[in-house]
Amino acid sequence: EPFEDTSVVAEWALSKKTKNRLAHAYHGNTSASPWKNLYEGFRQWLIESGGSEEEFNKLSLEKRLNLRKQFDDSEADDGQDRKRRRSALSALSSDALLPIDDKEIKPLLADIDRCEFLPRDWIEQTSLVIRRQKERCDDRDGMVQPLAVVRFSRGGKTRALKELAIMLGNTIFVSFNGKDHTDLSMAEEEDVLLHSQVSLLDCLLIRVAWALLPAQRKVAQNFAAWRSQHTVSRKLIQDHLSGKDCVLLVDELNALLGLANMLEKRVPEVQYRAQVGDLYGFLKDEFMKPAGRLFGFSSHTFETPTALSQLEQKFPLSNSERLVCLQQLPLLKVTEWEDAKHLGVTARGEAAYFGRSPGLLVSSLREQTEPVRFVRNAEGVPKDPAGWRTWLEQLIKVTLEGTRPTDGLLMGWWKFFDLDHNDKLSIAPVFLSEMLKQCEGARVNGDDVHALALTLDRLRSVDEGDGKAWEAVVAVALGLRLLGLSVGVEWERLQPCPDI
C-alpha cells in the first residue's frame, strides 16, 4: 500500500511547538480536508506514489508526518543532484552570440503565419511609437514608457510582435510561448519554486541568449536541451549589448510574472522581493533608462500592464508608477470586407462572431482550432450553483459596462477578455457564448442563459443582407440586460455591446 506505515516518527522526538505547527499544517484551523492543506509538491508526490485523498485523510498525524519525512528526504536527494548538475553547466561566452545588428537575429514565423499580416498600418504606426520612445531617456525626459500589446488568447499578439521585430531590426525577440517551444517547462518552474537553483532573471537571460544564437545552432539543438547545459549571466548580456541601440520584445510576459506570483506564495518575502527586484532592475537599467533602448511585451491578461507599472514603486520604492504605452491590436474594419474574405471568411456574421479578430479567424479557419475549447478548460471555475450565480452576475457586468471583475472573480476567464481603446473590457461573442453555456450551472433562468448563448452562435452562419445578424445583435443586447436584472445587475439605457 502506498500509505502503509513503515517507520513511525516518535512523538516524543518533536517539540510541542513543532507538533502544534505540523498539526495545524495538516488539519488547518477549519473543518477542511487535511489533503486540501498540503503543499502542492507533496500532494503530487503522494499521487505519483499511488495514494489518494481518501486514504490520506484516514491516516493518523504520525503516519502523515512519516510520509512527509520520506518526501523531504527524496527532495533533499533530488536537490543535491540538481546542485551538482547546475554546477556542471557551461557558462556561455560572448563569442557564441551574434552581434545585435546581425540580420540573422529575427524571429521565425510559424507555418500558420505564412498568410499575409493584414494590419500593416498598425505595424508602421507602432514602429514610429517605438522609435520615439527609444529617443527618450529616464533621467532627461521623465519615465520612458515600455510598450504593451494586450489581447485575449489566440488573438494574434505573437504574430504582431514578430512582425514588429522584423521591421525594426536590432531587436531581441524573447518568447515564453509554447508555439515557439521556449515556454517555461515544469523542470524550469521547479528549479525556481522548489530548489532555488534558477531565478526569475535567469529565465529571461537564457532566452535572450537563445535569441542571439546563430540559426544553425538552434536547428542542431532544441531550446530545452540547450538550456539544460548552459548558464547566462547578466554581465554577459550587458557587455554584449554595451553601447548599442536595441529593443527587447518579450512575448507572453504574463507567464514570467505568473511564475513570480507563485514564488511569492512559497518563499520568504525578502527572497521574493530580491528576485523580482533583480528582474525588474535588469529591464529598467538595460532597456528603459538608457536612450536608444526600449522594452516591449505582449500579454493575454489585461492586468499585466498595471502589474508591471506598479513595480516601479516597489523595486525600488518611488513616488509614481511607470506608465505603460498600450498599443491596441486592430480589429477587422467593418468597411473593409475584402480583408475578411482574404482570411477565408464567407459571411459578415462569422467575422462578428469571432470579434472581428484576425488572430481568432486565422486560428479557426486556417489552423482548424476552435477557440471555445480553451474556455472549457479554464482554471478556477466554480463548483456549485452559488459560485456560478456570482460568476454570471460579474460576467454580465463586464459585458454591459466593460468594468474589471471584482475580488478576483472570473480569473479563469481573464485571458479571454480584451481591452478596447477606452480601457474597457470587451468579450468576443465566440467566448461569451461558451461562458454563458457554462453559467447554466447557476440555475438562474437556465433556459434564458442557454437561449442567449445560442443567439450569439447564430451570428456565425447568418447571410449578408437577410437582417438576421442585426436581429441577433438586438436579441443579445436585450437578453443580456433582462438576464442582468434577474441577478441584480441594473441598466439605464439600451445600446448594443460595442464589441458586437
Side-chain angles (χ1 to χ4, degrees), residues 475-494:
V476 171
L478 281 169
L480 281 171
R481 283 156 177 79
L482 293 174
L483 185 61
L485 288 175
S486 69
V487 293
V489 180
E490 299 181 357
W491 53 279
E492 297 179 354
R493 61 187 182 278
L494 177 64

Side-chain angles (χ1 to χ4, degrees), residues 230-264:
H230 297 89
T231 60
V232 178
S233 69
R234 173 173 176 171
K235 186 176 187 305
L236 170 68
I237 302 301
Q238 285 176 325
D239 292 346
H240 189 74
L241 300 178
S242 179
K244 300 179 178 69
D245 292 357
C246 62
V247 175
L248 173 66
L249 297 180
V250 180
D251 189 30
E252 299 287 10
L253 180 67
N254 51 279
L256 189 57
L257 294 186
L259 185 60
N261 290 338
M262 288 190 284
L263 184 69
E264 184 178 16

Side-chain angles (χ1 to χ4, degrees), residues 46-62:
L46 293 171
I47 293 172
E48 292 173 354
S49 301
S52 68
E53 178 178 359
E54 182 179 3
E55 291 175 323
F56 183 83
N57 288 340
K58 291 178 181 178
L59 297 178
S60 66
L61 173 61
E62 287 78 14

